[in-house]
Each structure stands twice: as structure tokens, then as C-alpha cells.
Amino acid sequence: MADLQGDTSWFTHDRFGLFIHWGLYALPARHEWIKQREEIPDAQYDRYLKYFDPDLYDPEAWADAAANAGMKYFCVTTKHHEGFALWDSKLTEYKATNTPARRDLLKPMVEAFRSRGMKVGFYHSLIDWHHPHFRIDAIHSMRNHLDKDKLNEPRDQAQYAAYLRGQVRELLTEYGKVDMLFYDFSYPAGAKGRPEGFDGKGRDDWNSIQLMKMTRELQPGIVINDRLDLDDVEGGWDYRTPEQFMPREWVTYQGERVLWETCQTFSGSWGYHRDETSWKSVEQLVQMLVGVVSRGGNLLLNVGPTGRGVFDDRALHCLSGMGEWMKWHSRSIYGCTAAPEEFQTPEDCRLTYNPETNRLYVHLFTYPFRHLHLDGFANKVEYAQLLNDASEVRFHQPRAGHTGDSSLERETLTLELPVQKPNVTVPVVELFLKE
Ligand code: GLC
């Protein structure tokens, strides 16, 4: 039996990855849950198979956009809840090869990202609103169908679970090394916050234990997320996945700090959404990345490519904005984590720390006037500079006899910053700590 833990060394170093949600839902372009939300019957939804024609698909360009943004890994929806397979699965006809694309869309993507040194991740939906043996439950697209019970009669969930395993086996044997698997998601009856009698699905419906073991056996070292409903099972997960909110502190499980990665969208939905206007600014995105690393986590940032097979201009704008910042500042992200507790975070700042180089990074979310006071830092810093241009930042330690503040008591080290904010989204001061 393979090791029940994934190799997370790259994961905690790389910190920043690209999520890709791409499937038939790119065509309706109004949310990847559209089949469920609008309760669209198969016959109507399946028309998209006939029209899915990503004629401009260029995975090399996708991988370039991600690499230039500073991303080190990617994770793509091999299949989302709609059931459509991006690859040439032998187990279904509901796949990319049966669209006008007429080919496996996954393989060239994996190759393009891998050839740029990026780690490979697969998001695979446990849920499937297309498969005939997936039993209709409380969140299924057919949940309100009048003949629901009758439609459920011939459905045998165990057959679906076998299909699920079969597809995952294809993915884990035909695409070389896969570094990460993001299963999505479980919603068991009886879980906190679910109503009485909620008709959900969990570990028994997916055969989660078997799936987890097979995953680890076929890809030793693979890192698995936490949505198989195996929280309490050894090897059931490697990292937590808080979604679409910013954890306030290092994520814990039963009181212990754990590995975590938050996944976030640019504008709200995961699949391509034409009309959404709630796009985050580059500044918000950079601050999000910094905030996540300052709490010991990873950021998986999502793009929903269009039905033509491209990242639209809004997504490219966000990625290149992040890349511009990362070009000068990635040293405060890669290999970094939360600062040791002895260093207090100054107002409007976030700290990250690289334990290997013993450097601390102060990120200035609002730019102060001339002085930045770092309480608790006195006598701990050897040298300081702005990270974007390696220009020295002078500092002074508190001195006895100086009146007017309590810096001596607070062991404050005061940085002397230029009056003008450096021309970068979030300025960073790099502190070389004393041994
Ligand atoms: C959710 C949603 C989904 C998205 C995912 C990303 O669980 O169902 O559409 O793929 O989260 O984490």
C-alpha cells in the first residue's frame, strides 16, 4: 500500500497556482452550475456538446499567461458537475472528442504547463448530473422533477462510483506524473447546517476510501484535498480548501495548524461568465496572495476560459497585473510562510518570512508617511531594503533619552521610507534578520 501522505514539499514552497474551470458551461457563459440552477434537462443541455468548438484553443498561451503571473502549478477541471470529460475517456461518450474539437483537450494542456516546470493538478467532480446511475438528490439538476422517485428506481449509485474510479484511473495512468488531486465535493446528510432529512452524498456514495487509496497507489506522493468526506480517516486528505473567503488566520483542524490552499475567482463564478461585473482589482488580488502566504497558506486563482478556448481580456489583465508585481516581489512569496510570532504585524501591513534565508518581508498595504514603526523588532534586524529595487532602507533603534514616545519600551525599530511610494502595487521591505 502506498504512503498515505502526499509529498507537500513543493506545495508549501510554490504558494501560487492557477485553477482552470473549462467545460460545456463556457457556452451558456452564466455560471458553471447553470444546469442545476436553471434545472435544464439533459436533452436541452446536451446541445452544447454540438456547439463546443474551441477553435482558438492554445494551451501554450495559457501556460505562458500563468507562468508570467508567477504561478507555479495548475489545476484543471477534468470533469465538472455537468459530467463532461475534457479528455478522451473510454468510459463515456460525453467528452471532448465528441464535440467539434474532436480531440483530447487535456493532454496538450498538461504538456504545455509541465514543460514550463509547473506542477500538474486535476480537479475532478464527484458529482455528476449527467450520469444515468448518479442518484437524484437534493442538489441534483432534476431535484424538482415530478417523477424523481420513478427516475431514481433504476439508478444504482454503486455503478456510478465504479465509473468514477474508472475515470480517475484513466487520468492517473495516461497523463504522466500528476501532483495534485482536487475532488469536489461531498455534502453528506446529517452534516452541520443541513436541514433535517437532507438527501445528500458522502463517503459511501463515492466509495471515498477506495478512491483515496487508488489515487495514492497510482500516483505515489500525490497531494489530495479535503472534500472526499474523509476528515477523520488516516490519509483522507493532505490539505484544507477554504473557498471564496479569506481565512483570518492560519487554518487549523482540531486545534492544529494544517496545510491549506484557498481557491478564489476573479469575479464570482468559476466557469466563464460573460456578464459578471464583480471583478477584483489587481491590488485586491495581490493583497490576497500576500495575505494568504502571511497566514501560511496557498492561493489557487481561477480562470474560466471562453468557449473559443481563450482567457478573455479581463482575465489576462488580472494575470499580467499580478505578474508585474511578482516579477519584483516573488521572493516574499516563494518559500515563505507566516512570520514567527515574536514579530508583531504593524498597522496596515502583512508579514511573510523565509525560514531558509532568515529574511522577513513587510508588505505595506497602505503607504505610510516616512516612518514605519516595527514594535518588537529592535536589535533583530541587520539590514533592510526595498525589494523592488534593492535600495537601502535606513532604520533607527530606540535610544534612551529620546522623549515623546514609548518606542524604547516597545522595542521599536523605525524604518525611514522614501516619501514617495515606490511605483508598485504593494511595496515590500526586505529585512535581513540577525542570526
Ligand atoms: C464548489 C463549486 C464549484 C467550484 C468549486 C471550486 O464546490 O461546486 O463550482 O468548482 O467549488 O472549489
Side-chain angles (χ1 to χ4, degrees), residues 180-404:
M180 137 186 270
L181 225 149
F182 192 120
Y183 286 112
D184 196 38
F185 61 82
S186 301
Y187 43 104
K192 244 205 292 189
R194 294 289 184 197
E196 268 295 298
F198 175 75
D199 183 12
K201 283 191 175 55
R203 63 175 81 176
D204 298 335
D205 304 286
W206 326 122
N207 279 343
S208 289
I209 293 194
Q210 213 179 331
L211 196 55
M212 176 272 284
K213 289 192 171 159
M214 184 190 86
T215 305
R216 295 200 189 278
E217 238 161 57
L218 294 177
Q219 290 282 343
I222 195 168
V223 177
I224 305 181
N225 76 336
D226 63 340
R227 297 187 182 178
L228 280 169
D229 186 24
L230 295 178
D231 278 5
D232 54 340
V233 173
E234 198 203 339
W237 55 278
D238 294 303
Y239 67 102
R240 312 301 285 179
T241 56
E243 173 180 324
Q244 303 258 46
F245 71 91
M246 271 294 281
R248 294 173 59 184
E249 55 203 4
W250 195 310
V251 174
T252 57
Y253 178 70
Q254 296 185 336
E256 300 283 325
R257 286 180 164 192
V258 289
L259 293 186
W260 64 277
E261 175 198 68
T262 180
C263 45
Q264 302 281 348
T265 59
F266 285 141
S267 64
S269 69
W270 300 88
Y272 176 67
H273 197 307
R274 183 187 58 202
D275 301 332
E276 233 164 24
T277 51
S278 44
W279 284 66
K280 297 171 186 69
S281 68
V282 168
E283 184 182 37
Q284 282 177 307
L285 295 166
V286 169
Q287 292 190 352
M288 179 185 273
L289 174 62
V290 170
V292 164
V293 178
S294 78
R295 289 157 202 164
N298 283 26
L299 175 63
L300 186 65
L301 197 52
N302 181 73
V303 171
T306 71
R308 298 286 305 268
V310 301
F311 292 2
D312 81 347
D313 55 342
R314 298 168 296 185
L316 289 173
H317 166 77
C318 292
L319 290 173
S320 70
M322 294 202 80
E324 180 56 25
W325 185 83
M326 282 295 278
K327 181 166 149 198
W328 312 107
H329 300 97
S330 63
R331 220 145 84 196
S332 75
I333 300 295
Y334 302 144
C336 288
T337 183
E341 266 163 29
E342 59 183 289
F343 297 101
Q344 294 172 42
T345 305
E347 210 175 16
D348 301 326
C349 293
R350 297 289 182 279
L351 302 178
T352 65
Y353 173 68
N354 186 322
E356 245 168 63
T357 59
N358 196 30
R359 294 183 198 177
L360 197 96
Y361 297 92
V362 186
H363 302 77
L364 308 170
F365 280 15
T366 55
Y367 194 69
F369 170 55
R370 282 188 54 210
H371 294 129
L372 184 73
H373 305 291
L374 304 172
D375 291 336
F377 284 57
N379 302 314
K380 292 183 179 161
V381 176
E382 188 179 279
Y383 185 76
Q385 63 182 9
L386 283 173
L387 185 52
N388 61 294
D389 64 356
S391 60
E392 182 176 7
V393 171
R394 289 188 289 179
F395 54 84
H396 53 262
Q397 317 268 1
R399 282 187 294 268
H402 268 229
T403 50

Side-chain angles (χ1 to χ4, degrees), residues 19 21 31-33 77 80-81 123 127 182 184-185 227 243 263 270:
F19 215 173
H21 276 67
H31 205 279
E32 74 285 352
W33 275 57
T77 52
H80 203 261
H81 310 332
Y123 163 111
I127 300 168
F182 192 120
D184 196 38
F185 61 82
R227 297 187 182 178
E243 173 180 324
C263 45
W270 300 88

